[in-house]
Amino acid sequence: MGQQMRHFLSGLALAATLAASTPVLAQGLFQPVVYINNAAITRYEVQQRQKFMQILGAPGTTEQEAQQALIDDRLRNHAARQLGIVPTEQGLQNGLEEFASRAGLSAAEFTAALENAGVEPQAYRDFVSAGLVWRSVIRERVVPRIKVSDAEVDQELRRQVETPILSRVLISELIIPAPPGQEQQALNLGRQIAGANLSSDQFEDAARQYSAAESAQSGGRLAWVNIDNLPPSLRPIITALQPGQTTQPLTVEGAVVLFHLRDSQGTLRPGATDQVIDYATLRLPSAADAATLGARTRSCDDLYIQAGTQAGQVRRQTVPQGAIPTLVAQRLATLDRDETGVVDYGNAADLVMLCSRQPALVADMAEVPTTALPEDGVEAAVPNADALPTREAVRDEIFNRKANAAAEAYLAELRADAIIRRP
């Protein structure tokens, strides 16, 4: 909690200083600045939300951004009322406690600290309440419609299997000084640089011009660094980048920092190139017979139908790639799912059909039954299966991703349907 708590408390301290030193002009403070479906947002509410957001870790929050946040909360509350969703006092109190605990404080302590910084308790309650009812709206309207298929889980696992595990990165840094009173200017510059989608050369030019780091003379270039040597909080930010991309500005004490990924190096998981093949074969008198049957067969299940009286001779098995006879394996290598090929032995031929192909790591996680002997089975091809998340974890990740996207789409729909006007 150390860093996060320090961040909250430093924000509270800064806001308290500003509250003590800035006179409050009451004139026009409670005038509406915008109406959403005839519900008013006052200038005072905007100022309160702006200060609250700054305390939470967005020091460059503008009045426009605070106003948009309030508009979205009004829309969330409107959607909740339409569904008859109202937060209970106990539910709201639990939400206040949970949120305050992120700063290592109780709700009462957090509320007192906010008041000392010039933020009324109601601003805190409104923020948490809107989040609570919106989660209930999403659970009722969005979640029941979200489905995650086994095929989607397999696809995501295959993507992870085929993605090298990053071991080293080549990054450039740009550190913009942000002395007291100039935080907003520094953040605005950082946002401008991050939003410009600069190439590596352009980022280096910007670093030479704006960076206060020792690396500025070399365009912010740093040497190769091991991922494990990066601060834990920075690792997910850097590993989420593709070469040529720049982070969003990161605010630290006295500065705004950007990183640009120039290159990365990684290695595949052990066993990532191994495959498990589900295929079917049928021995026939000639290559012509095999080709004729293959031409009218549409899938592995259909093969049993098309084979007719020979259906009992169809041999279907799921085995590691290395356990397949060489000639059959070579033919399978050229096939896509539900495609057929022929292996001609001269005095006979095999009709070969590919039913599915997947990485051994994924097959092992799904506990795919294998007809290979234990010593040749999937387990032997998976020396490091623990490097991958579980299927349930992947399913949850896909579900949450879909839920977040659907929630954003629903909020955008509410915005489009709302009557928003300014006096």
Side-chain angles (χ1 to χ4, degrees):
M1 173 54 63
Q3 182 177 0
Q4 186 179 22
M5 182 175 179
R6 286 195 300 273
H7 181 71
F8 271 95
L9 296 181
S10 63
L12 290 167
L14 174 61
T17 302
L18 293 175
S21 60
T22 305
V24 177
L25 300 178
Q27 185 176 4
L29 199 58
F30 295 99
Q31 288 182 345
V33 294
V34 64
Y35 291 92
I36 309 96
N37 295 328
N38 293 323
I41 293 176
T42 66
R43 180 170 287 106
Y44 180 70
E45 288 179 285
V46 173
Q47 291 180 0
Q48 286 282 292
R49 177 58 65 91
Q50 181 182 11
K51 191 176 297 184
F52 183 62
M53 292 171 70
Q54 289 172 342
I55 290 171
L56 295 185
T61 300
T62 64
E63 285 191 19
Q64 183 178 3
E65 290 169 334
Q67 188 179 118
Q68 185 59 55
L70 286 168
I71 290 174
D72 287 347
D73 277 359
R74 290 289 199 277
L75 294 173
R76 293 182 177 106
N77 288 325
H78 176 70
R81 285 194 299 272
Q82 287 183 319
L83 295 173
I85 296 172
V86 179
T88 65
E89 186 58 36
Q90 184 60 51
L92 178 56
Q93 186 59 40
N94 291 341
L96 295 171
E97 293 290 351
E98 189 278 330
F99 191 85
S101 69
R102 303 177 193 178
L105 303 172
S106 68
E109 292 170 333
F110 192 67
T111 300
L114 287 173
E115 287 187 281
N116 188 48
V119 177
E120 297 291 338
Q122 192 60 43
Y124 177 32
R125 291 174 63 87
D126 289 346
F127 173 80
V128 172
S129 177
L132 288 174
V133 298
W134 182 242
R135 283 194 288 273
S136 296
V137 169
I138 297 307
R139 280 195 295 268
E140 185 166 331
R141 279 192 58 103
V142 175
V143 167
R145 303 177 186 177
I146 299 174
K147 307 296 180 186
V148 180
S149 67
D150 289 339
E152 289 176 293
V153 175
D154 287 340
Q155 183 179 16
E156 176 62 20
L157 281 168
R158 282 196 296 270
R159 185 193 67 78
Q160 294 196 30
V161 166
E162 295 164 359
T163 301
I165 302 172
L166 285 184
S167 55
R168 299 200 306 165
V169 289
L170 197 59
I171 56 179
S172 299
E173 63 179 0
L174 195 160
I175 300 177
I176 305 170
Q182 299 182 31
E183 294 91 352
Q184 184 61 55
Q185 296 93 314
L187 185 59
N188 289 343
L189 176 58
R191 288 174 173 172
Q192 181 180 351
I193 295 171
N197 296 321
L198 302 181
S199 67
S200 295
D201 290 341
Q202 291 171 329
F203 187 88
E204 290 178 21
D205 291 339
R208 291 188 184 95
Q209 182 175 358
Y210 301 112
S211 182
E214 294 181 2
S215 60
Q217 291 184 348
S218 60
R221 284 175 166 257
L222 302 177
W224 283 100
V225 59
N226 292 333
I227 290 292
D228 292 341
N229 292 345
L230 292 173
S233 60
L234 188 58
R235 288 175 202 163
I237 297 173
I238 297 298
T239 55
L241 297 176
Q242 296 295 321
Q245 290 184 335
T246 302
T247 65
Q248 290 300 308
L250 309 173
T251 55
V252 298
E253 186 174 356
V256 172
V257 183
L258 297 100
F259 293 100
H260 179 88
L261 182 63
R262 307 199 314 270
D263 199 0
S264 62
Q265 291 181 346
T267 56
L268 288 173
R269 291 174 172 82
T273 58
D274 295 318
Q275 294 182 345
V276 167
I277 309 296
D278 176 10
Y279 75 101
T281 58
L282 175 61
R283 181 64 56 88
L284 293 165
S286 69
D289 293 332
T292 300
L293 179 57
R296 65 174 187 262
T297 302
R298 296 291 174 262
S299 69
C300 286
D301 290 339
D302 185 43
L303 177 59
Y304 292 93
I305 299 173
Q306 299 300 328
T309 58
Q310 294 178 291
Q313 300 174 35
V314 173
R315 187 184 181 201
R316 182 169 176 177
Q317 52 191 325
T318 302
V319 296
Q321 199 171 23
I324 303 173
T326 302
L327 291 178
V328 175
Q330 289 176 344
R331 197 67 189 92
L332 286 169
T334 66
L335 301 179
D336 291 327
R337 185 187 183 101
D338 291 329
E339 280 190 341
T340 59
V342 177
V343 177
D344 190 355
Y345 301 110
N347 60 344
D350 275 340
L351 173 65
V352 179
M353 189 166 211
L354 177 66
C355 306
S356 70
R357 179 199 310 276
Q358 60 182 321
L361 292 172
V362 177
D364 182 68
M365 295 178 69
E367 297 183 353
V368 172
T370 175
T371 55
L373 296 174
E375 58 268 30
D376 294 325
V378 176
E379 296 79 6
V382 192
N384 193 21
D386 291 340
L388 284 171
T390 65
R391 290 184 65 85
E392 284 309 308
V394 170
R395 190 181 298 276
D396 290 344
E397 180 184 346
I398 296 172
F399 183 91
N400 290 335
R401 190 161 63 230
K402 285 186 173 184
N404 289 335
E408 285 300 316
Y410 182 42
L411 185 58
E413 181 183 328
L414 293 174
R415 290 193 199 104
D417 293 341
I419 300 174
I420 301 176
R421 59 185 178 86
R422 289 174 170 80

